Amino acid sequence: MKRHIYLEDIPLDEARAAFQAALAAAGLARPLATENVPLAAANGRTTAAAIWARLSSPHYHASAMDGYALRAQDTITASETNPLCLTLATHFDPDTADPGLRPAAAVNTGHPLPAWANTVVMIEHTQLVTDDHGREAIEIRASLPPWTHVRALGEDMVATELVLPANHTLRPVDLGALAGSGHAAVTLYRRPRVAIIPTGSELVTPEDAAHYGLQPGQIIEYNSLVLAAQVANWGGRPTRWPIVPDAFEAIQTAVRAAAQNHDLILLNAGSSAGSEDYTAHVVQSLGTLLVHGVAVRPGHPVILGMIGITDRPSETEDAQSPLPTNHHPSHVPIIGVPGYPVSAALTGEIFVEPLLARWRGQAPHQPLTLAATLTRKVVSHTGDDDLVRVAVGKVGERVLAAPISRGAGVISSLVRADGLVRIPRFSEGADAGTAVTVHLYRSPHDIENTILAIGSHDLTLDLLAQFLAEAGGDTAGRRRLTSANVGSLGGLVTLRRGEAHLAGSHLLDPQTGEYNISYVKQYLPHQAIALVTFVGREQGWIVPPGNPKGLAIWADAARPDIHLVNRQRGAGTRVLLDYEVGKLGITPEQIQGYGREEYTHLAVAAAVASGAADTGLGIRAAARALELDFVPLAHEQYDLVIPRPYFESDLLRPLLDLLHHDGFKTAVAALPGYDVHLMGQVTFLPTA
Amino acid sequence: MKRHIYLEDIPLDEARAAFQAALAAAGLARPLATENVPLAAANGRTTAAAIWARLSSPHYHASAMDGYALRAQDTITASETNPLCLTLATHFDPDTADPGLRPAAAVNTGHPLPAWANTVVMIEHTQLVTDDHGREAIEIRASLPPWTHVRALGEDMVATELVLPANHTLRPVDLGALAGSGHAAVTLYRRPRVAIIPTGSELVTPEDAAHYGLQPGQIIEYNSLVLAAQVANWGGRPTRWPIVPDAFEAIQTAVRAAAQNHDLILLNAGSSAGSEDYTAHVVQSLGTLLVHGVAVRPGHPVILGMIGITDRPSETEDAQSPLPTNHHPSHVPIIGVPGYPVSAALTGEIFVEPLLARWRGQAPHQPLTLAATLTRKVVSHTGDDDLVRVAVGKVGERVLAAPISRGAGVISSLVRADGLVRIPRFSEGADAGTAVTVHLYRSPHDIENTILAIGSHDLTLDLLAQFLAEAGGDTAGRRRLTSANVGSLGGLVTLRRGEAHLAGSHLLDPQTGEYNISYVKQYLPHQAIALVTFVGREQGWIVPPGNPKGLAIWADAARPDIHLVNRQRGAGTRVLLDYEVGKLGITPEQIQGYGREEYTHLAVAAAVASGAADTGLGIRAAARALELDFVPLAHEQYDLVIPRPYFESDLLRPLLDLLHHDGFKTAVAALPGYDVHLMGQVTFLPTA
């Protein structure tokens, strides 16, 4: 079974068309069957037929006030100087009553008007009196037009009127209108049942991983969790299958079982063309393989197919049981979902959501879009539609889309993404500054309240994000801090281009021994800047527990038995290393591993923890986080560089306030290697 | 207990502040207690604490390809002309192995790299060979940099990194990131339990109304359905109480019971100051009445209060059972929700949503807003914030907000509303043409796809809306038809102001006997118009079953024993009546009820059905809908008047296509009194 199938990516449109044609041929390209659902269970679901009013609302002429029902024609002579007396007479019959009698009947709000009445006077505008015959009566001092303070029959809805059309997703007020027009239940599209089958001998459940830990090679299976939540959000009923090992028969058995009582099968993964990728073979063995490979990244090793079903058990209503008899398809669609988590989630958006939408009579979801400017060049794979995850923020008057790491295995990139930018096929990418359309994952309101921090990375920025997320619960102005790590110099360059609100920076000036000031003057000469002291922190060698190679001084960087891991160009930590080893006359060529670059302190620590490197320069907190040892070498200052207009903006106010907040300072000071005694000090640097 | 309480509306801000202060004093102005929830049940809920990675992801250096793990430094000499042989050696130990051995180990995607390896060559770029010692080996023809095709430890997330902040509402991908960083469960805010208690002796359930019908004075209780769905949408757990009769002790007992195991009580209604409005008394008897009446319309008779609790039962986990012990408030907030359905739903939005948001650490919901132009003057109650429901559509380049009926009892107005416009206190209203901000209930995409039909009402427009809602399921371009009834002339005036896409019209020209053409020329001289024939229909007397007063001819309108119900000025039906009785020399003064105006055929029929009038002029379908009899008098033509730019627009294409659709024609023809043989004929009227 080794590489029998050649995976050839076809364009997304062609893949969709092939799937659509097969669904149509199987009678599955239309909404699902319907079911009658009590109103109390109908919220958020979709009507399968128009609903017409069975009753009028109100279904009688109702008083709209507490007061008295009258005949308007009796009141014509009433005025301030000529009060009129009306006799209380609930059981008034115009055919038999004294022709001179002017009747009035007490009514409360919502009460029906007597048949003879056509208007209502408010109780506040009456006085209780006695009429000429000693009967209870009221006195009024103004005439009333007919239909005053009356809710006429059908004012809201008239029987037979259209209350709601088909294909309408029910909101709370819709339930009220349905009930008010005489319905206790409503005809909805049945919710599709979706089987989600994770396959892979290397997979372990999140529960087992949390309880027993992981061995190298084991992977936590969470795609089924993500797909199930997507399916639920899109109106389906997910069934998560237990993990199936990488074995043809086991997978085939699971798919055959799922096809018995599900509308759609998501098989994850084994959709590529590796030695243990059985999905295509299983689909071929049980039905038709329509598509193997779609030219979209992430997500290209998608499989689309149809599983044939011969005999389905008969109807019952239980969730796990066979489908109702009004659903008799000969085939069940199957989607082979790629294994990388970003690919899996995007396959859900691209193929599963539109199908579930169609099955409840809806067009595919249209995300909100926002016009933005790309901040970095994106190189794209020609021939593929490329879906670039971006962070989005509004800096000044410009909306910026900053591309995030593109690895299909990096689920955190999707968590951080504010939206997607599509680079179409036959394009080789897009340059920085290109106008793009972002398909948003967040609301425009969230985007407006996003603070973009692009520059040097520090753990305390996570803490700041965390405190910001907890602050301001009372206001609609809660801020979100999004930070991207491009190193200290990269941050200043980003500020110069006007593409961030602030940058973290810890750049040592070898001439002055000062941090940041000379760099800000050099890189941002035309901007007024507030340089805000954030934290002081230790830098030193991050080493394995026990410091087995005995690192102690800067010169150890050049030892022949030491393999270093370095930071990327422009990182303040790299500037510090270059400065200190340079003073000793050591050149990069003398340092083994100088060229291996990582982008964060934690990544440096991870390289040391894994044994891939003997040491790297970094902060104490990163060493501590991965239970490594630390050899302190220097003390440095980490500042926030903030252009004056943002420093003074409402947007940044909650962030700047936190720098004077004891709870935040205490939390930072509790991190090893940090001091906060200068936190919040501001130096204003005018334009040059 | 009659009117002891004087209801005095206070401004919304003051009411909110008073409620907030009381909540704060009771320790209830902060998020609820937390609970640990398995990831599979956490979708859509809100994190109560920051979540930091427990494991790195990947937690080992993983191959990103099927291929062979190597040492990059071994490959430096490899080139196309100088192939390099590497020996397959899974259990390689650099300290004991032959120093000349260049090891390679087969790896599949996701497999861990051996400790000695630092790069991966794709299987496609290798050939299986035998080395000099006859051992299995591979040959490569290019050198490899380190860390090629390797997903390094921590590439996605590094242990101790911030995965998600607190107060974050979990999306499917977030669940993946949590699982991938070593979590199987997550700390969330507990969902608030909300008791919804409907009160009123006149209330019946929707089920009873559907099964047994209604008596005059009975009202279908659906506010609890609406409030429960709102609460669920806003992250709460609603409990719908059975209907409680209007009796002080019964209501008090229900409130006391609900306070035992709920976080919030919604008592509906009895919040006004009528003789059976017990809510304020009940609140006073069990706690503190904070606010009775808020200056906002609809919704002003709101009550805000706190119920005291002395002893709560101890903890269990069941939904109906007492609250967990980490929740020990001394008070439970109570909101007396007004009885009118629009007031009830808006009270939910104004008071309940912000409180539930706060309890899960969120700011109140911020609806999307849209700048629009008001189409009609709105007169507002000075001193109250006035929430005007509006239909919104984009006509040409203008976004228009058309006010909808303002009665607090008209739930259908909220169903039809596309958004709310707030007319602030101390304003007397807003003129037509005022720029307003609409708080949207629908997506901007829906608004873009809305066809605004403002003019004469006809039942077949409902049918058209219904067919449009069912059409175009495959495209994102499904249209929504919103129609407002202002009569035929009103429609032409609306088109002249550029405030609708089309107008239904059936205006008879007494001079020519033609319909609509002369009116279009007169009212729209400067616009090119497409006059599209829609339906032909009968007009006649709508009379009670059996036609008890024997109406037969136009002249019957002036009989002294006949009370008419008329249509509003500008309605084509009224023009027809005026024309026909005018020919007979009958004046409006001779017609009893000429001044009572209704806005739709169905409303006219409803007036006849209720006995409020003996007859009215209208269409056969309206009579039939309410099981009334019909005396045909005339045959008229009902057209769609469409400015040329909209006639030719993509927006209207699906609607115009339906006029040639057999299914739609058949459905219209099946309605009594309609003929469709001219449907879809177009007459183009150029500008004058």
Side-chain angles (χ1 to χ4, degrees), chain B residues 267-337:
Chain B
L267 188 57
N268 175 243
S271 63
S272 196
S275 59
E276 290 172 351
D277 290 332
Y278 296 111
T279 294
H281 298 288
V282 167
V283 173
Q284 278 179 329
S285 76
L286 297 174
T288 311
L289 180 70
L290 300 165
V291 170
H292 192 186
V294 179
V296 56
R297 282 170 195 262
H300 68 106
V302 171
I303 284 170
L304 304 173
M306 301 294 284
I307 301 296
I309 8 174
T310 44
D311 52 332
R312 267 198 159 154
S314 61
E315 174 178 11
T316 80
E317 271 304 306
D318 183 80
Q320 292 307 316
S321 67
L323 296 170
T325 47
N326 59 4
H327 183 77
H328 282 303
S330 58
H331 288 81
V332 175
I334 185 166
I335 299 177
V337 178

Side-chain angles (χ1 to χ4, degrees), chain B residues 548-629:
Chain B
K549 296 205 169 167
L551 280 88
I553 54 172
W554 289 109
D556 289 332
R559 269 167 50 185
D561 63 329
I562 297 295
H563 279 80
L564 195 83
V565 53
N566 203 355
R567 290 292 306 280
Q568 84 283 12
R569 258 173 251 272
T573 302
R574 180 152 166 166
V575 171
L576 179 63
L577 178 73
D578 289 348
Y579 170 66
E580 294 289 349
V581 300
K583 285 200 293 193
L584 303 173
I586 297 170
T587 63
E589 292 70 31
Q590 293 172 268
I591 301 173
Q592 296 185 78
Y594 183 89
R596 180 180 174 187
E597 299 184 348
E598 292 289 354
Y599 277 76
T600 68
H601 292 281
L602 281 167
V604 166
V608 174
S610 72
D614 296 308
T615 192
L617 187 63
I619 57 175
R620 184 187 286 272
R624 176 80 161 259
L626 297 195
E627 297 171 349
L628 301 169
D629 274 357

Side-chain angles (χ1 to χ4, degrees), chain A residues 355-588:
Chain A
L355 182 54
L356 298 192
R358 178 199 309 270
W359 280 346
R360 54 172 218 283
Q362 301 298 295
H365 173 65
Q366 295 288 313
L368 288 176
T369 60
L370 200 62
T373 303
L374 209 58
T375 61
R376 283 203 287 113
K377 182 182 173 75
V378 173
V379 178
S380 179
H381 197 272
T382 309
D384 286 352
D385 283 308
D386 214 329
L387 303 174
V388 180
R389 285 141 275 161
V390 292
V392 184
K394 192 176 177 196
V395 180
E397 291 307 305
R398 295 164 72 206
V399 178
L400 299 166
I404 302 177
S405 154
R406 297 166 70 194
V410 180
I411 183 111
S412 59
S413 69
L414 212 42
V415 169
R416 275 195 225 114
D418 299 319
L420 289 182
V421 169
R422 183 171 158 275
I423 310 288
R425 304 178 67 217
F426 306 125
S427 152
E428 291 178 3
D431 285 324
T434 304
V436 293
T437 299
V438 183
H439 293 254
L440 289 179
Y441 283 143
R442 297 184 200 276
S443 75
H445 178 261
D446 282 353
I447 302 289
E448 295 264 341
N449 282 286
T450 295
I451 300 172
L452 272 184
I454 297 183
S456 167
H457 177 260
D458 190 82
L459 295 175
T460 51
L461 285 181
D462 284 354
L463 212 55
L464 192 58
Q466 163 59 11
F467 271 76
L468 270 180
E470 289 178 3
D474 263 20
T475 73
R478 182 175 288 166
R479 306 295 185 260
R480 200 167 59 94
L481 178 65
T482 289
S483 51
N485 180 49
V486 297
S488 293
L489 269 184
L492 298 185
V493 171
T494 303
L495 288 183
R496 188 166 61 194
R497 291 201 306 257
E499 295 178 352
H501 297 110
L502 65 90
S505 181
H506 57 112
L507 289 163
L508 173 65
D509 183 347
Q511 315 299 317
T512 64
E514 273 185 340
Y515 274 87
N516 298 317
I517 292 177
S518 63
Y519 290 87
V520 169
K521 286 180 176 164
Q522 183 189 343
Y523 282 84
L524 301 167
H526 305 303
Q527 294 187 41
I529 295 290
L531 191 65
V532 181
T533 306
F534 191 45
V535 292
R537 59 185 195 180
E538 288 176 306
Q539 288 268 20
W541 295 131
I542 296 172
V543 292
N547 191 7
K549 296 204 171 170
L551 280 89
I553 53 173
W554 288 108
D556 290 332
R559 268 167 52 182
D561 63 328
I562 297 296
H563 279 78
L564 195 84
V565 53
N566 203 355
R567 290 293 305 283
Q568 84 282 13
R569 258 173 252 270
T573 302
R574 181 155 164 164
V575 172
L576 179 63
L577 178 73
D578 290 348
Y579 170 65
E580 293 290 350
V581 300
K583 284 201 294 190
L584 302 173
I586 298 170
T587 64

Side-chain angles (χ1 to χ4, degrees), chain A residues 7 45 152 155 211 261 386 462 545 605 611 675 677:
Chain A
L7 192 156
R45 293 186 57 185
E155 176 192 278
H211 295 152
N261 53 6
D386 214 329
D462 284 354
D675 80 73
H677 72 278

Side-chain angles (χ1 to χ4, degrees), chain A residues 62-126:
Chain A
S63 176
M65 287 287 173
D66 291 355
Y68 296 91
L70 317 170
R71 296 188 298 192
Q73 57 270 33
D74 288 341
T75 70
I76 291 167
T77 61
S79 71
E80 199 54 52
T81 53
N82 186 26
L84 183 79
C85 179
L86 301 110
T87 304
L88 292 190
T90 319
H91 299 290
F92 174 77
D93 179 346
D95 294 334
T96 60
D98 167 6
L101 182 74
R102 287 184 287 260
V107 284
N108 275 351
T109 305
H111 283 184
L113 259 58
W116 48 262
N118 64 5
T119 202
V120 170
V121 61
M122 288 165 70
I123 193 163
E124 292 89 327
H125 298 161
T126 63

Side-chain angles (χ1 to χ4, degrees), chain B residues 329-408:
Chain B
S330 58
H331 288 81
V332 175
I334 185 166
I335 299 177
V337 178
Y340 276 134
V342 177
S343 304
L346 292 180
T347 297
E349 293 184 15
I350 295 169
F351 290 104
V352 181
E353 195 279 336
L355 182 54
L356 298 192
R358 178 199 308 270
W359 279 347
R360 54 174 218 281
Q362 301 298 296
H365 172 65
Q366 294 289 312
L368 287 176
T369 60
L370 200 62
T373 303
L374 208 59
T375 62
R376 284 203 285 113
K377 183 183 172 75
V378 173
V379 178
S380 179
H381 196 274
T382 308
D384 286 351
D385 282 308
D386 214 329
L387 303 174
V388 180
R389 284 141 277 161
V390 292
V392 184
K394 191 176 175 194
V395 180
E397 291 308 303
R398 294 166 71 208
V399 177
L400 299 165
I404 302 176
S405 153
R406 297 167 71 192

Side-chain angles (χ1 to χ4, degrees), chain B residues 482-547:
Chain B
T482 289
S483 51
N485 181 48
V486 297
S488 294
L489 269 184
L492 298 185
V493 170
T494 302
L495 288 183
R496 188 165 61 193
R497 291 200 306 255
E499 295 179 352
H501 298 109
L502 64 89
S505 181
H506 57 113
L507 289 163
L508 172 66
D509 182 348
Q511 316 299 320
T512 64
E514 274 184 340
Y515 273 86
N516 299 318
I517 292 177
S518 63
Y519 290 87
V520 169
K521 286 180 177 166
Q522 181 188 343
Y523 281 85
L524 301 167
H526 305 303
Q527 295 187 41
I529 295 291
L531 192 64
V532 181
T533 305
F534 191 45
V535 292
R537 58 184 196 181
E538 288 176 307
Q539 288 268 20
W541 294 132
I542 295 173
V543 293
N547 191 7

